[in-house]
Amino acid sequence: MARIVIFGAGGQIGRRITDEAIRRGHEVTAVEVDAARVKKLPRKANAVEGDVTSRDSVQRLAQEADAVVVAVGGVDRPVHANAARTLVDVLPRIGDQAPAVLHVSSGGTLEDDNGQRLVDSPDFPAAERKDALDQVDALDVYRGARNVRWAAIAPPPRNMGQGQRRGAYRTGNDRPVVDAQGEIGISHEDFAIAVVDEVEKPRNRNRRFTVGN
């Protein structure tokens, strides 16, 4: 059993990760910045109010954790890079027992067949570009960090939503995972499985990876 702190536990992805971790018997601290959303978090989790961009929050909640999952989203401010900066600043101060970080990234950070970032493509959705560029900055922060164990998991750039919990997925590195029909995508449920699998058995330490069905 691991002690997992999940920031953004009330969001679409964060909730699935929280449910998956609880299902497997882990001790989950589910964190939301909005007190109203804290009340809606699963009863089997330790639901608390906290902010992943706050050094005080991170220090308080990460102190006894084995892993910190960052699954925040749906905000207007550049939260992802600030979250990364906060974590790489605070966690080394905890020492050798500091938790590993698993950051839910953006499919826009992945590359096409020519090695171009998807977020830089003219076809990338304009409404998602600001968030994806913030995730690019967050990835740069992690890559430049020292004495921090981290991984960033990028979802497919499209076709991700509520669906079946198939319990199967495939992993990739810099490019989206493509199935036999040339399609990309994954359900929230299977993405959550991939996240908790990485927490339990880290295979992508200090790098960004992606998953798909």
Side-chain angles (χ1 to χ4, degrees), residues 13-28:
I13 296 175
R15 182 59 181 259
R16 267 68 170 202
I17 297 170
T18 300
D19 290 343
E20 181 66 25
I22 291 172
R23 177 197 291 260
R24 301 195 198 183
H26 295 300
E27 181 181 323
V28 177

Side-chain angles (χ1 to χ4, degrees), residues 50-194:
D51 183 351
V52 70
T53 66
S54 161
R55 285 170 173 76
D56 289 343
S57 286
V58 171
Q59 178 74 36
R60 170 172 53 87
L61 295 169
Q63 193 72 38
E64 302 297 329
D66 298 308
V68 171
V69 175
V70 182
V72 295
V75 294
D76 295 329
R77 61 196 176 96
V79 65
H80 305 295
N82 286 339
R85 294 186 189 100
T86 302
L87 288 161
V88 302
D89 177 54
V90 172
L91 294 185
R93 302 180 187 184
I94 296 177
D96 294 339
Q97 301 304 312
V101 177
L102 183 51
H103 186 110
V104 177
S105 188
S106 164
T109 68
L110 301 173
E111 300 173 0
D112 62 17
D113 291 340
N114 298 316
Q116 180 186 43
R117 290 185 315 200
L118 298 182
V119 68
D120 297 326
S121 167
D123 298 328
F124 193 81
E128 300 174 18
R129 182 168 282 114
K130 181 179 179 181
D131 185 75
L133 289 172
D134 185 25
Q135 290 280 21
V136 169
D137 290 343
L139 192 56
D140 287 342
V141 171
Y142 287 121
R143 285 172 169 166
R146 297 291 181 269
N147 301 319
V148 176
R149 294 175 296 145
W150 66 273
I153 178 170
R158 61 180 184 273
N159 298 331
M160 179 173 170
Q162 185 174 353
Q164 293 182 338
R165 185 183 185 276
R166 297 170 54 193
Y169 61 89
R170 293 175 297 141
T171 60
N173 295 323
D174 295 324
R175 298 176 184 173
V177 174
V178 181
D179 67 15
Q181 287 72 44
E183 299 294 331
I184 63 175
I186 195 170
S187 68
H188 285 151
E189 291 76 8
D190 284 342
F191 184 81
I193 290 173

